[in-house]
Amino acid sequence: MSGAVLALLAAATAQPARPVAGVLVAHGCNKCHDGALATAKPKALAVFDLRDEKWEARMSEPQLHAMLGRLRSAPAADRAVVQKFVDAELDRRKGAAGSP
């Protein structure tokens, strides 16, 4: 295969760097949690704004868990992406809390 074909194949099969944001957008969370949109809600933006690079940083542990609850009607694969993200974020915070 040519290098160009291999590059296209790799790009087509690559996972996005932050797939959870894509899941949230696909389920309409950005309507309230994207400060660039007219539909954004101040109370929602106070929790997180998807425009921020580390949008999850201000979220509390209960808010992280609630995010999954809001996707209860989403397909299992999407819920799994969010659950993995929440678990990883909570683990990261525990590790950071234990760091000197």
Side-chain angles (χ1 to χ4, degrees), residues 20-69:
V20 72
V23 169
L24 298 178
V25 169
H27 292 283
C29 299
N30 61 317
K31 291 175 185 171
C32 298
H33 290 280
D34 183 337
L37 300 178
T39 55
K41 298 184 188 262
K43 286 184 178 183
L45 294 174
V47 176
F48 71 91
D49 185 340
L50 287 169
R51 293 178 307 156
D52 297 337
E53 184 176 334
K54 293 291 288 172
W55 55 265
E56 70 282 0
R58 290 182 293 153
M59 295 178 73
S60 67
E61 184 173 336
Q63 289 169 331
L64 285 165
H65 289 294
M67 182 170 52
L68 184 61

